[in-house]
Amino acid sequence: MINPFFSKERARFFTFCREETNSCPNLVYVVFSSEYFIILIYSLILSNKDSLKGRFFLTGTLGYFLYSYASYSFVAMYNNFFLIFVALMGLSFFGFIINVTSFNLESLKEIFSNLSHKKYLSYSTIIFGMAIGLMWLARLLPALPTGIPTGLEHYTTLPIQALDLGIIVPATIISGILLYREKTLGYLLTPIIIIKGITMLMAIDAMVISLSLNGKPVSIGELVIFPLFTIIYIFNLQLITKEIK
């Protein structure tokens, strides 16, 4: 059964195989994912209008671009798009840092002081972070005696797993804890993590659907779990953004 996180189809998606041209993804689609660039441009326009929602959307979307193009830069075999991947990764990184540091933390604390469903948002964020961590550890820990992670044999390096376990999982769990404790940094990190999570989950949903439409065996669980997580995160985002006037 194919899992979009671990399959050889996903490995091929990142390595841009040359020996099986018909099995390879469209590189233009990979680089110029129109829907995400539209979101990026829209959030940039809102941000330039001094919209707090726009700045959150812009920062979260830049987080997605940073994660995605870092993955492409480190996982993909050399191809004509390599320098584009690296350029987009660098631009996303500096844009993300500039936007994160531009928020007024004290004003965020005042805006979100009466945030409803705070415990639910905290718990769901923490649970999601733990789910990602456990998903990868379930593959990596059994491999310690053999040195061969099950389902990941076709990768020579594991940058996606490193990014998730080293950065995404801790950031997600910490943001949930800080929000639960009503810390100012939690009000900043949680919306950004949620927006980044939505963009990534939507990409996974598209990948799962694509595999299914192309006749690849995809489990019912995969067709249900990832869209379910997407719906939950969109609901969580709605709970947060309604506090922003």
Side-chain angles (χ1 to χ4, degrees):
M1 192 63 65
I2 289 178
N3 186 311
F5 275 109
F6 313 123
S7 68
K8 292 185 179 180
E9 281 69 19
R10 190 169 194 263
R12 188 176 292 119
F13 182 87
F14 282 114
T15 54
F16 311 110
C17 61
R18 304 182 184 202
E19 67 279 9
E20 299 180 52
T21 305
N22 293 333
S23 299
C24 297
N26 187 327
L27 291 181
V28 175
Y29 174 79
V30 174
V31 180
F32 302 105
S33 303
S34 58
E35 63 273 21
Y36 289 116
F37 278 95
I38 290 172
I39 295 173
L40 181 66
I41 293 170
Y42 177 70
S43 59
L44 181 60
I45 293 172
L46 288 180
S47 179
N48 287 335
K49 292 181 179 180
D50 203 26
S51 165
L52 184 58
K53 286 183 182 179
R55 289 166 65 193
F56 273 124
F57 273 99
L58 179 60
T59 308
T61 306
L62 285 171
Y64 167 78
F65 273 78
L66 173 58
Y67 178 93
S68 296
Y69 289 108
S71 300
Y72 299 154
S73 298
F74 297 132
V75 175
M77 64 184 292
Y78 179 76
N79 59 81
N80 293 337
F81 290 88
F82 175 73
L83 293 178
I84 297 177
F85 293 155
V86 173
L88 290 171
M89 177 184 68
L91 289 171
S92 300
F93 172 76
F94 290 109
F96 181 79
I97 295 299
I98 290 171
N99 277 276
V100 166
T101 56
S102 69
F103 286 91
N104 185 322
L105 295 181
E106 290 304 317
S107 66
L108 289 182
K109 187 173 183 179
E110 181 179 346
I111 291 170
F112 292 117
S113 59
N114 296 318
L115 179 64
S116 59
H117 308 290
K118 195 174 300 181
K119 288 187 177 180
Y120 159 75
L121 289 167
S122 304
Y123 290 144
S124 61
T125 302
I126 292 171
I127 290 171
F128 185 74
M130 293 176 65
I132 297 173
L134 292 173
M135 176 189 70
W136 287 131
L137 291 176
R139 295 278 172 166
L140 297 174
L141 290 180
L144 293 177
T146 63
I148 304 176
T150 303
L152 300 174
E153 301 92 343
H154 42 276
Y155 288 104
T156 55
T157 59
L158 302 177
I160 296 173
Q161 291 75 14
L163 285 172
D164 284 352
L165 291 173
I167 299 175
I168 301 301
V169 169
T172 303
I173 294 175
I174 289 171
S175 68
I177 293 173
L178 290 176
L179 180 63
Y180 179 81
R181 295 181 177 179
E182 300 185 359
K183 300 294 183 181
T184 305
L185 191 58
Y187 298 129
L188 170 64
L189 291 179
T190 303
I192 294 173
I193 290 291
I194 289 176
I195 293 169
K196 190 272 177 190
I198 291 172
T199 52
M200 180 55 64
L201 284 166
M202 288 174 65
I204 294 172
D205 294 339
M207 188 186 302
V208 171
I209 293 171
S210 176
L211 289 173
S212 178
L213 292 177
N214 282 279
K216 304 297 182 180
V218 180
S219 72
I220 298 298
E222 291 160 1
L223 287 170
V224 173
I225 291 175
F226 295 118
L228 178 61
F229 278 146
T230 306
I231 293 170
I232 291 173
Y233 252 30
I234 291 175
F235 175 71
N236 289 1
L237 180 62
Q238 190 271 333
L239 290 178
I240 290 178
T241 54
K242 74 177 184 179
E243 300 292 331
I244 304 174
K245 307 301 181 183

